[in-house]
Amino acid sequence: MRKFVHRLSEDMPAWALRAFMLVFFVFLIAPIAIVVWMSFSAQSYIGFPIQSYSLRWFRRVVEYEPFLNSLIVSIKVAVLSTLFATAIGVPAALALARSRSKAADAIATFLVAPISMPLIVLGFALLFYLSTLGFGLSLLALLIAHSVVAVPYIVRTVIGVYRSQPADVEEAAMILGASRWQTFRYVTLPLVSPGIFAGALFAFLISLDNLPISFFFGSPETSTLPVILLSYTENQFDPSIAAVSTVQMLLALATLFVVDRIFGIRNIGAPT
Amino acid sequence: MTMTLASGKARRFWKTMTGRSSSGPTISLVWSLPAVFFMLAFFLFPLADNMIRSVGADGGWSFAPYKRLFFDPYYLEVLGVTLGFSFAVTLACLLVGYPVAYFMVRHAGRLYGLCIFFLVAPLLTSIIMRTFGWRVLLARQGFANAFMMEFGLIERPLNLLNGPVIALLATVQVLVPFMVLAITSSLQGVDRRLEESARLLGAGRASTFFRITAPLTLDGIGTGFILVFMLANGSFVTLLLLGGGSLQTFPLLIYQQINSTRDFVLAGAMSNVLLMSAVICLVIQARLLRRRGTKP
C-alpha cells in the first residue's frame, strides 16, 4: 500500500503533465473548431445551443460579392507572388548556401531579414514608397509587397535543405563528366526540390492570410479576403464569417495535402 | 579497393583544383543578384525612405514626432503598453509552452507526430478566424455562457469579452506554437543521461529540472522568447477585435491612423520605433545563434 502511494506520488507530475497537455490542445483547437461548427448553423445570429443546421452561410460566401471577389484576389496574389518569389529566391538560395564568403553570409541574412520585421511597418513604408513610384493602390503594388514577404521563406528553406545535403553527390556527377547544367538539372534540383516546395507552400499560405500588409493596399480591386473579413467583423457578427473562414481553412488544408502528396514535406515548421 | 583509392584521389584533385573543401560545385553569386536588387528596391529602400520621411519635414530636420512619442505622457504610456503587452504574451507563451515541449520530447513517444500536427494545424487558419472563434466562445449568447447556464452555474450571461485578459489569451493562442517548436528543438539535444545522473546523485525532480534541464535549453528559450516577442510587438488584430479599446499599442494606433485619423507623420514615427525594437531583437537573436554556432 505504502509502495503504491509512493508510486502514485512519483507519477503525479506525469499525470499532471498529461492533463495539462489536454487542456493546452483544447485551448489551441477550441477557437477554430467552434468556428467550423458555427459555419453549419442555420440561424441568422450567433448563439448557442445551435437549433438547426444548414449550408446557407456557405451559399452566402458565393453570393455576397465582396467575399468571392476578395477570395479571388487573394488567390491570385498568393499564387503570383509565390511564383515570382520562387523564381528569384531559389537561384539566390542555391548560390548562397554553399558559399563560405562573408559577403554570401551577409546577403543571406539580408534576404531573410523581412521575416523578422513587424509586417505592419513594412506595409506602411511600402504604401508611401510605392505611391511615390507611381504604383499606387494597384494589384502590382500588392504583388510586390507580398513578394517581399515571400522571398525570405523560400530562401530560408532552400538554403536549409541544400546545406543539409552532402556535396559529394554533385561532385561525383561532375567527376563522372556531367556538365554544370546537367549536374544542376539532374542532381542539384531534385535534391533541393522538397525545400523549394516547402518554402513556396509557406509563402503561399502566409500570403493568403496576410493582413498587416494587405490592408494598406485596400481598394475595391485590391482588397484581399482578410481585409474584407476584418472590416466585416468590425461591424457585423453573424455566421457568414465562420463560413468564409472555414472555406479559407479548407483551401489551406487542400494546398498542404496536395503539396505533401506530390513532394512530401519534411522540415515543416522546424525553425532553422 | 583501387576504386575507393581512385575516387579519393580524384576528390583530392578536385579540391585542389577548385581550392575548396567538399562544398560541391558552387553556383556563382551572380544568381543572387535579382533577389538582392528586388529586396533592396522594395524592402530596404522603403524602410529607409520611411525613416527619412519621418524626420525630414519641409526640407529641414525635425524630430517633432519622436519628441511627441517619447515625451508626451499619452504616447509614453502607449509605448509602455506595447512593450509590456508583448512581454506578458511572451512570458505566458514560455510558461505554457515549456511544459508542452517537455511532454512532447520526453513523454509523447509515438504521439509526437500527432502533437506536432495539432501544434502546426492552427497556423493554417487565419488570425481573423481564431479571433472570431474567441468571440463565438465568449460572447453573450456564446458557447461558454450557454454552457454554464445550461448547467446552472450562472443565471445571467456574463460579459466575458472585450478585455486585456482575453486579448492576451487570444494572442498567446496564436503565438505559442512558435515557442513550443523553438523549445522542442533544443530540448531534443539535451543528453538524458545528465538528468539521470542528477537524479541518481540525489537531486529531486524540481532541482533536476531547474539546475540541469532548464539551463541546457536556454538557447531554445532565448530563440523562442525573441521570436514570440517580435511577433507580438507587431500584432494588432486580436487587440483590435478583442481588446475593446482597453489597450492601445503602436500597431493598433498605426492601424487607426491609416483608417481614420490620418496623421501619417506620427504613424511613420511609430512604425520606426517598432522597427527599431525589431532590429534590437534581431541583433540579440544573431548573438544567440552565433553562440550556438549555427547560421541563420
Side-chain angles (χ1 to χ4, degrees), chain A residues 196-209:
Chain A
I196 296 175
F197 285 100
L201 177 74
F202 265 135
F204 176 81
L205 293 176
I206 279 164
S207 162
L208 204 61
D209 187 32

Side-chain angles (χ1 to χ4, degrees), chain B residues 112-178:
Chain B
Y112 182 80
L114 195 68
C115 287
I116 288 281
F117 173 80
F118 278 118
L119 212 55
V120 177
L123 303 179
L124 290 177
T125 62
S126 77
I127 187 162
I128 294 184
M129 179 183 194
R130 287 184 269 173
T131 323
F132 183 74
W134 285 105
R135 291 175 70 186
V136 174
L137 278 172
L138 302 172
R140 234 160 225 292
Q141 289 99 38
F143 184 78
N145 273 322
F147 186 82
M148 288 192 288
M149 296 216 320
E150 179 76 25
F151 285 88
L153 293 171
I154 49 170
E155 289 184 354
R156 227 167 285 153
L158 302 173
N159 185 17
L160 303 165
L161 263 184
N162 291 347
V165 179
I166 296 302
L168 182 98
L169 265 183
T171 315
V172 168
Q173 195 264 350
V174 174
L175 297 180
V176 74
F178 297 104

Side-chain angles (χ1 to χ4, degrees), chain A residues 10 13 17-18 20-21 24-25 27-32 34-38 46-48 84 88 91-92 94-96 98-101 104-105 107 109-111 113-114 116-118 120-122 124-126 128-130 132-133 144 147-148 151-152 162-163 167-168 170-171 174-175 180 183-184 205 209 211-212 215-216 226 229-230 233-234 237-238 241-242 245-246 248-249 252-253 256 269 271, chain B residues 10-11 14 21-29 31-32 34-36 38-47 49-50 53 95-96 99-100 102-104 107 115 118-120 122 124-130 132-137 139 141-143 146 169 172-173 176-177 180-182 185 199 205 230 234 236-237 240-241 251 254-255 258-259 264 267-268 271 274-275 278-279 282 285 295-296:
Chain A
E10 268 289 287
L17 205 57
R18 247 170 238 162
F20 180 78
M21 287 301 283
F24 173 76
F25 280 118
F27 164 72
L28 213 58
I29 303 298
I32 298 161
I34 201 110
V35 173
V36 176
W37 186 18
M38 195 73 232
I46 289 178
F48 287 89
F84 177 72
I88 62 172
L94 294 178
L96 296 169
R98 295 264 162 93
S99 171
R100 298 257 165 92
S101 69
D105 264 2
I107 295 173
T109 309
F110 170 61
L111 291 183
S116 321
M117 292 294 141
I120 193 167
V121 175
L122 193 59
F124 182 85
L126 271 171
F128 288 97
Y129 181 77
L130 289 178
T132 317
L133 292 185
I144 290 173
S147 302
V148 172
V151 165
Y162 196 30
R163 274 190 187 148
D168 307 22
E170 289 164 300
E171 281 176 21
M174 293 193 83
I175 291 165
R180 285 181 80 92
T183 309
F184 175 75
L205 293 176
D209 187 32
L211 183 63
F215 92 80
F216 286 104
L229 282 182
L230 181 64
T233 28
E234 273 192 289
F237 192 50
D238 69 38
I241 296 284
S245 301
T246 305
Q248 196 188 350
M249 185 185 79
L253 275 177
L256 183 70
Chain B
R11 192 174 299 171
W14 171 253
S21 53
S22 113
S23 53
T26 43
I27 295 153
S28 159
L29 281 183
W31 288 96
S32 71
V36 170
F38 180 78
M39 295 304 255
L40 278 177
F42 297 111
F43 171 60
L44 196 65
F45 290 174
L47 291 179
D49 174 62
N50 188 37
R53 195 191 299 271
L95 293 178
V96 171
V100 173
Y102 190 84
F103 178 87
M104 282 171 60
H107 299 282
C115 287
F118 278 118
L119 212 55
V120 177
L124 290 177
T125 62
S126 77
I127 187 162
I128 294 184
M129 179 183 194
R130 287 184 269 173
F132 183 74
W134 285 105
R135 291 175 70 186
V136 174
L137 278 172
Q141 289 99 38
F143 184 78
L169 265 183
V172 168
Q173 195 264 350
V176 74
V180 175
L181 291 172
S185 74
R199 290 303 299 276
R205 246 174 224 283
M230 245 164 11
F236 66 98
V237 179
L240 178 73
L241 296 175
I254 296 174
Y255 175 78
I258 293 294
N259 265 358
F264 293 138
S271 72
L274 279 180
L275 181 68
V279 169
L282 259 187
Q285 192 183 36
K295 286 175 182 172

Side-chain angles (χ1 to χ4, degrees), chain B residues 1 34-35 49 66 68 73 119 139 198 200-201 221 223 234 247 251 254 263 276 284:
Chain B
M1 180 64 202
D49 174 62
Y66 293 97
R68 247 174 102 193
L119 212 55
L200 282 174
L201 293 170
I221 295 174
T223 315
L247 292 178
I254 296 174
D263 185 346
M276 277 305 118
I284 300 174

